[in-house]
Amino acid sequence: MIDTNRLLLRPYEPGDERAILALSADPAVRRFIGNLPDSEEGARTRVLRCAGHWSLFGFGTLAVVERPSGRIVGEVAASYFLVSAIPLTISDVRRRAKAVAA
């Protein structure tokens, strides 16, 4: 979790499905965040997928919560995507994530 005066960045939680669907309905958000769901079932799947990513890799998607309103206004993520035929170990992914965060 990352906490500032204006924003709270936290993992998605059960109950965030409506907020995810609200983000999904905004064309400006869809321009920058891919693979957003169009249904409650899809939103639940997204919450579970994000939780699984954290569980497996120790990093993942964070909901961006606006402090004054408590509203989810976006998300930010460090994700593991297999983009080449060269397999990466979890330690490779963590090392790369730390380098990006530095």
Side-chain angles (χ1 to χ4, degrees):
M1 200 168 2
I2 299 170
D3 199 356
T4 72
N5 290 335
R6 289 185 44 230
L7 300 171
L8 170 66
L9 281 63
R10 62 159 174 78
Y12 277 119
E13 304 169 345
D16 286 341
E17 293 85 357
R18 286 188 183 193
I20 292 170
L21 287 174
L23 289 174
S24 296
D26 185 338
V29 171
R30 281 194 172 272
R31 180 173 173 215
F32 296 103
I33 301 176
N35 199 25
L36 286 170
D38 293 324
S39 67
E40 284 190 38
E41 181 179 348
R44 276 191 298 278
T45 299
R46 187 175 189 86
V47 169
L48 294 172
R49 186 176 65 242
C50 292
H53 198 284
W54 274 99
S55 176
L56 289 173
F57 300 112
F59 60 91
T61 302
L62 295 171
V64 178
V65 180
E66 182 182 56
R67 279 255 173 240
S69 68
R71 188 172 63 101
I72 294 175
V73 295
E75 65 181 37
V76 62
S79 297
Y80 173 71
F81 299 106
L82 184 58
V83 294
S84 70
I86 302 168
L88 298 173
T89 66
I90 290 176
S91 61
D92 291 331
V93 173
R94 286 187 176 144
R95 186 175 56 254
R96 290 179 185 193
K98 286 180 184 177
V100 169

